[in-house]
Amino acid sequence: MSEELIAPAARALTAEGVARAGEGRGRKLRSYAIVVGVHLAVIALWQLAVDLGGIRSFILPSPQAMLRTLGRPEYHWLANSLATAQEVLGGFLLAVVLGVGFALLFSWSRLFTLVLFPIFVTLNMVPKVALGPLIIVWFGYGIGPNILITFAISFFPVLLNTARGLREVEPELLDLVRALKGSRWQIFIKVQLPGALPYVFSGMKVAAILAIAGAVVGEFIGSERGLGFLMVQVQTSLDTPAMFMAVLLLTLIGIAVYLITIGLERLCIVKDARLL
């Protein structure tokens, strides 16, 4: 008799769970549709404002004028976009690796923190635009120096957030693992890193945004290719459509890096533990 009562209840709970999951997916799809619709509406209003308002293209080009520049081979869109993407990804990944690494060292040694952390804070206060010419003088032109500039801008948010996350781990849990003769590396892998991951990804998302600015700063100061280099080249001829197209491609690269970071966060962290 009890089984006869339990089975319908179990089926009802399963059906309710499926219905809730369907509602959740429906809400997500509606949210995505609203976001896409708003962007498309802005583009349509932009096109209408330029066409009906008689705005000159060197002041505000229309979306159609921007897209037409993609067919002009002299801009080398693919090569310049790939160069900028390499700088963004290279500087971003370097910032993540070294930011997490130094945060780990700071969690292990108080003396190391007292010696190096104030130096990192001071260096972070240096305007990166002022630091850029020095990097160019030391390392020359090319993707490598621009990666260093991107790293310099993106490094500190990862370091700061990761260091905070490592400090948030419960001391009792660390004492328990030490009592079980766990090594420092085991403590980091099994306890500290899982607990600090929400903070790590929070810093990574900030760094992903700053990485685009770092790459553009490097290309503005001195570069032989890249979307920022292209913008400097076309501004002398008031080729505003090409400048807007370069800005759009930079935005798309930044969105791609940000979405990749969010995707990795969702794979590694449950929803309730995410900070942003």
Side-chain angles (χ1 to χ4, degrees):
M1 186 66 180
S2 60
E3 293 181 357
E4 295 177 355
L5 295 174
I6 292 174
R11 285 195 296 268
L13 290 174
T14 302
E16 183 180 356
V18 172
R20 288 182 177 176
E23 291 177 0
R25 286 192 295 268
R27 284 195 296 269
K28 286 184 179 180
L29 290 175
R30 286 193 294 271
S31 299
Y32 294 150
I34 291 173
V35 171
V36 174
V38 168
H39 282 78
L40 292 177
V42 170
I43 293 173
L45 290 174
W46 180 358
Q47 182 71 43
L48 287 174
V50 173
D51 292 340
L52 300 179
I55 303 174
R56 296 183 179 182
S57 61
F58 73 88
I59 296 177
L60 181 65
S62 67
Q64 289 183 347
M66 291 168 51
L67 292 176
R68 283 196 294 268
T69 62
L70 292 176
R72 298 174 61 178
E74 65 268 23
Y75 294 127
H76 304 289
W77 289 114
L78 181 59
N80 286 319
S81 298
L82 289 176
T84 301
Q86 288 177 0
E87 294 163 2
V88 171
L89 288 174
F92 174 73
L93 293 176
L94 189 62
V96 171
V97 172
L98 293 184
V100 174
F102 275 104
L104 176 61
L105 292 177
F106 291 155
S107 70
W108 285 350
S109 172
R110 180 170 176 78
L111 178 61
F112 196 81
T113 304
L114 292 174
V115 172
L116 282 186
F117 191 77
I119 295 178
F120 285 148
V121 173
T122 302
L123 291 176
N124 186 64
M125 300 302 170
V126 176
K128 303 307 181 292
V129 176
L131 188 63
L134 293 175
I135 294 179
I136 299 299
V137 169
W138 293 335
F139 301 102
Y141 294 95
I143 291 180
N146 291 339
I147 288 177
L148 291 178
I149 296 174
T150 305
F151 158 75
I153 293 180
S154 307
F155 168 72
F156 198 70
V158 179
L159 171 66
L160 199 61
N161 281 274
T162 305
R164 180 186 174 187
L166 293 174
R167 288 197 303 268
E168 293 292 328
V169 178
E170 296 181 5
E172 294 81 4
L173 186 58
L174 295 177
D175 293 338
L176 175 61
V177 178
R178 293 191 185 102
L180 296 174
K181 307 299 181 182
S183 64
R184 282 185 171 182
W185 182 249
Q186 289 175 326
I187 293 173
F188 172 68
I189 293 296
K190 301 295 184 181
V191 179
Q192 289 181 301
L193 182 59
L197 275 180
Y199 295 89
V200 174
F201 278 103
S202 178
M204 287 175 62
K205 285 186 280 190
V206 176
I209 298 171
L210 296 176
I212 291 292
V216 174
V217 166
E219 291 173 352
F220 278 176
I221 294 172
S223 181
E224 299 172 346
R225 51 182 171 165
L227 294 173
F229 167 76
L230 178 63
M231 292 177 66
V232 173
Q233 296 299 307
V234 299
Q235 74 173 356
T236 57
S237 59
L238 294 180
D239 192 351
T240 314
M243 295 179 66
F244 268 77
M245 194 68 233
V247 171
L248 176 60
L249 291 175
L250 284 168
T251 303
L252 292 177
I253 293 173
I255 290 174
V257 176
Y258 191 81
L259 290 178
I260 291 172
T261 304
I262 290 178
L264 291 174
E265 182 186 35
R266 291 184 176 180
L267 287 175
C268 299
I269 305 175
V270 297
K271 182 178 180 179
D272 294 337
R274 298 170 198 158
L275 297 181
L276 295 175

